[in-house]
């Protein structure tokens, strides 16, 4: 007698795969959690019609913490800091 097909997600070889993909026979994909973003921005007026706006973003668990496809060891994608600067001139 063969075990039910949906019991595959209980095996130690597939702890990080979503239950539904194995249960319904779809292609296995990594289980994701949440992604969070923190953003800080400020606009400074330097003179008439001239502004500068620095921006900082920090991403927690990019893509829900899945494994980095470019990493040969399968480590998860690391948190990221993103810096930006926007300047406007009106004449």
């Amino acid at each position: 007698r063969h075990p039910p097909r949906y019991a595959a997600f209980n095996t130690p070889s597939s702890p990080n795969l979503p239950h539904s993909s194995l249960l319904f026979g779809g292609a296995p994909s990594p289980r994701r959690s949440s992604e969070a973003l923190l953003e800080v921005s400020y606009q400074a007026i330097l003179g008439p019609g001239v502004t500068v706006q620095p921006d900082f973003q920090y991403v927690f668990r990019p893509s829900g913490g899945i494994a980095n496809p470019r990493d040969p060891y399968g480590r998860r994608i690391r948190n990221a800091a993103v810096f930006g600067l926007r300047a406007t001139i009106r004449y």
Side-chain angles (χ1 to χ4, degrees), residues 7-82:
F9 63 81
N10 290 326
T11 64
S13 63
S14 61
N16 294 322
L17 298 177
H19 302 277
S20 60
S21 68
L22 294 172
L23 179 65
F24 297 110
S29 61
R31 180 179 298 188
R32 298 173 187 230
S33 67
S34 63
E35 175 180 289
L37 176 74
L38 172 70
E39 182 174 11
V40 178
S41 181
Y42 177 77
Q43 185 176 39
I45 300 172
L46 301 179
V50 180
T51 62
V52 175
Q53 184 175 0
D55 184 61
F56 171 73
Q57 298 177 10
Y58 194 80
V59 183
F60 299 90
R61 294 178 310 279
S63 295
I66 65 170
N68 186 347
R70 296 182 182 174
D71 189 304
Y73 301 107
R75 292 179 285 224
R76 70 176 186 88
I77 297 174
R78 298 185 319 174
N79 295 345
V82 181

Side-chain angles (χ1 to χ4, degrees), residues 47-51 87-91:
V50 180
T51 62
T88 58
I89 300 174
R90 287 191 191 176
Y91 54 92

